[in-house]
């Protein structure tokens, strides 16, 4: 009898566990974080390691991390379908790190909730980081935090927002950068929204960056192309204002030794307090696009220099420009060269070509119209950059402009 009881005891225990918690297989299923086909994994790390080239990992539940989540699959291309779930990073030092291989992310949310602020580096709140051997592709989803690219990043869709931190415990939210690129970055779609109050640039590029589409909305510091950065824009919509930054920064700002910007198309609109395009160090060339400044107290295109005698040049070969205020300003030895384009001022006191503190504007082509505007200004000044100068040897001026006197 005792032997029968001993034999039946495991069965009774299994029945009791089944009644209380379900079967053993159900318990395993409830702990499933991701799937590859029908194979279940209890962590994304395990799924990353197991995934074969071309396979898709499907997230099964919301997950959170307080340390780095690493993807390192040299020579492998894997897709992470977030499956409308959320990955949350709960420390500023935690993020998804694409170390080797190619990872495509889509269809869900990745966010940073514990960004921190310090005076030296600003807001630290990374969600993705790629190493030189890593490639990250984002096709859809919502992302809150910084994307740091040292390798290759390709964005064709999704919604992107910058993370925020508390400003020295004051309760004030200060927002950080959305993209920091020193590798190769291609953007063909997506919406990028910079919220205030921000003390950092919207996007920083010191690598190779190409924008052919997408919507970029910023308030304050915008897209910075810095030292040795190569930025090419062939499309996209860019809008914002200068309410929360230095007024000269512009929607697109070139500042750095060896930095170059080429704009072939796109729509650039400023509401107040900032130019559409600003160049301080480096070269910006505009072949096309639409540029609109709606602030009657401001200007559309701005070139400035004066830092260590670095070259600052804007060349305008085409495009459509409309300004409620002044059209083009140049100072501190910076040069604007205009050989094409259509320029229209709508303000009663707009100055089309404005130079001071040694700025130079050279016009060899283009079409200029204005509403009771001033044709140009050469403000007398005494600086080490020489006299301000406007030279007009071509182009058509279709309005009877007034003459500016200071």
């Amino acid at each position: 009898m005792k032997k029968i009881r001993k034999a039946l005891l495991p069965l009774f225990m299994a029945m009791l566990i089944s009644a209380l918690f379900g079967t053993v297989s159900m318990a395993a299923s409830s702990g499933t974080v991701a799937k590859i086909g029908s194979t279940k994994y209890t962590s994304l790390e395990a799924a990353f390691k197991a995934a074969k080239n071309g396979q898709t990992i499907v997230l099964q539940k919301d997950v959170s991390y307080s340390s780095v989540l690493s993807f390192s699959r040299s020579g492998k291309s894997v897709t992470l379908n977030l499956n409308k779930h959320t990955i949350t990073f709960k420390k500023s030092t935690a993020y998804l790190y694409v170390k080797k291989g190619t990872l495509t992310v889509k269809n869900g949310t990745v966010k940073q909730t514990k960004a921190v602020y310090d005076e030296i580096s600003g807001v630290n709140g990374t969600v993705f980081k790629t190493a030189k051997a890593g490639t990250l592709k984002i096709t859809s989803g919502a992302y809150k935090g910084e994307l740091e690219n040292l390798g290759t990043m390709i964005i064709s869709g999704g919604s992107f927002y910058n993370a925020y931190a508390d400003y020295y415990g004051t309760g004030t939210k200060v927002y950080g950068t959305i993209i920091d690129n020193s590798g190769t970055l291609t953007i063909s779609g997506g919406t990028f929204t910079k919220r205030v109050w921000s003390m950092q640039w919207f996007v920083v590029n010191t690598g190779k960056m190409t924008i052919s589409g997408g919507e970029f909305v910023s308030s304050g510091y915008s897209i910075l192309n810095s030292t040795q950065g190569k930025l090419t824009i062939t499309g996209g919509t860019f809008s914002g204002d200068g309410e929360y930054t230095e007024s000269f920064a512009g929607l697109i700002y070139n500042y750095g030794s060896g930095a170059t910007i080429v704009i072939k198309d796109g729509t650039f609109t400023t509401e107040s307090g900032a130019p559409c395009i600003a160049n301080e160090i480096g070269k910006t060339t505009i072949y096309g696009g639409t540029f609109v400044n709606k602030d009657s107290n401001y200007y559309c295109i701005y070139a400035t220099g004066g830092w260590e005698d670095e070259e600052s040049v804007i060349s305008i070969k085409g495009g459509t420009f409309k300004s409620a205020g002044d059209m083009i300003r140049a100072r501190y030895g910076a040069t604007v060269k205009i050989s094409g384009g259509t320029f229209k001022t709508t303000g009663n006191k707009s100055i089309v070509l404005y130079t001071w503190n040694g700025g130079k504007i050279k016009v060899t082509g283009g079409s200029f119209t204005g509403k009771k505007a001033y044709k140009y200004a050469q403000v007398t000044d005494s600086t080490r950059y020489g006299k301000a100068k406007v030279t007009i040897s071509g182009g058509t001026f279709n309005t009877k402009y007034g003459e500016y006197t200071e």
Side-chain angles (χ1 to χ4, degrees), residues 215-226:
E215 182 178 4
F216 301 79
V217 182
S218 64
S219 185
Y221 294 87
S222 298
I223 297 176
L224 168 65
N225 187 58
S226 192

Side-chain angles (χ1 to χ4, degrees), residues 206-261:
T206 56
K208 182 179 180 181
M209 182 176 178
T210 302
I211 301 174
S212 61
E215 182 178 4
F216 301 79
V217 182
S218 64
S219 185
Y221 294 87
S222 298
I223 297 176
L224 168 65
N225 187 58
S226 192
T227 304
Q228 300 301 320
K230 310 298 179 187
L231 172 60
T232 301
I233 301 175
T234 61
T237 301
F238 306 80
S239 62
D241 57 56
E243 184 177 0
Y244 293 89
T245 183
E246 286 92 343
S247 58
F248 60 77
L251 295 178
I252 310 296
Y253 181 50
N254 203 35
Y255 179 86
S257 180
T260 61
I261 296 176

Side-chain angles (χ1 to χ4, degrees), residues 128-339:
F128 290 110
K129 183 176 181 179
T130 58
K132 290 184 178 181
T135 297
L136 174 66
K137 297 181 180 180
I138 299 175
T139 61
S140 63
Y143 306 89
K144 177 186 173 184
E146 183 176 340
L147 283 65
E148 185 178 349
N149 180 43
L150 285 74
T152 302
M153 191 175 291
I154 301 169
I155 300 173
S156 58
S159 299
F160 302 83
Y161 308 90
N162 46 344
Y164 63 83
D166 183 84
Y167 186 64
Y168 290 123
T170 62
T172 300
K173 294 178 179 179
V174 55
Y175 292 84
T177 296
I178 291 182
I179 297 174
D180 187 353
N181 176 59
S182 58
T184 300
L185 172 63
T186 302
I187 299 175
S188 60
T191 59
F192 302 80
T193 305
K194 181 185 180 185
R195 309 172 191 174
V196 298
W197 172 47
S198 179
M199 299 175 71
Q200 291 174 247
W201 292 96
F202 185 22
V203 175
V204 178
N205 178 55
T206 56
K208 182 179 180 181
M209 182 176 178
T210 302
I211 301 174
S212 61
E215 182 178 4
F216 301 79
V217 182
S218 64
S219 185
Y221 294 87
S222 298
I223 297 176
L224 168 65
N225 187 58
S226 192
T227 304
Q228 300 301 320
K230 310 298 179 187
L231 172 60
T232 301
I233 301 175
T234 61
T237 301
F238 306 80
S239 62
D241 57 56
E243 184 177 0
Y244 293 89
T245 183
E246 286 92 343
S247 58
F248 60 77
L251 295 178
I252 310 296
Y253 181 50
N254 203 35
Y255 179 86
S257 180
T260 61
I261 296 176
V262 174
I263 300 174
K264 296 183 178 180
D265 202 356
T267 300
F268 307 81
T269 305
T270 54
E271 296 293 335
S272 62
C276 294
I277 307 297
N279 193 101
E280 187 164 0
I281 297 176
K283 296 180 180 180
T284 296
T285 305
I286 300 173
Y287 292 94
T290 301
F291 307 82
V292 180
N293 164 46
K294 295 184 178 181
D295 188 345
S296 61
N297 296 312
Y298 229 71
Y299 34 91
C300 188
I301 304 296
Y302 180 57
T304 185
W307 295 102
E308 299 178 358
D309 293 322
E310 290 271 8
E311 187 177 34
S312 177
V313 178
I314 297 178
S315 297
I316 301 175
K317 301 175 182 292
T320 301
F321 303 81
K322 184 177 180 180
S323 182
D326 295 347
M327 178 60 72
I328 298 169
R329 287 192 176 192
R331 71 168 186 175
Y332 290 156
T335 300
V336 178
K337 301 176 181 179
I338 304 169
S339 58

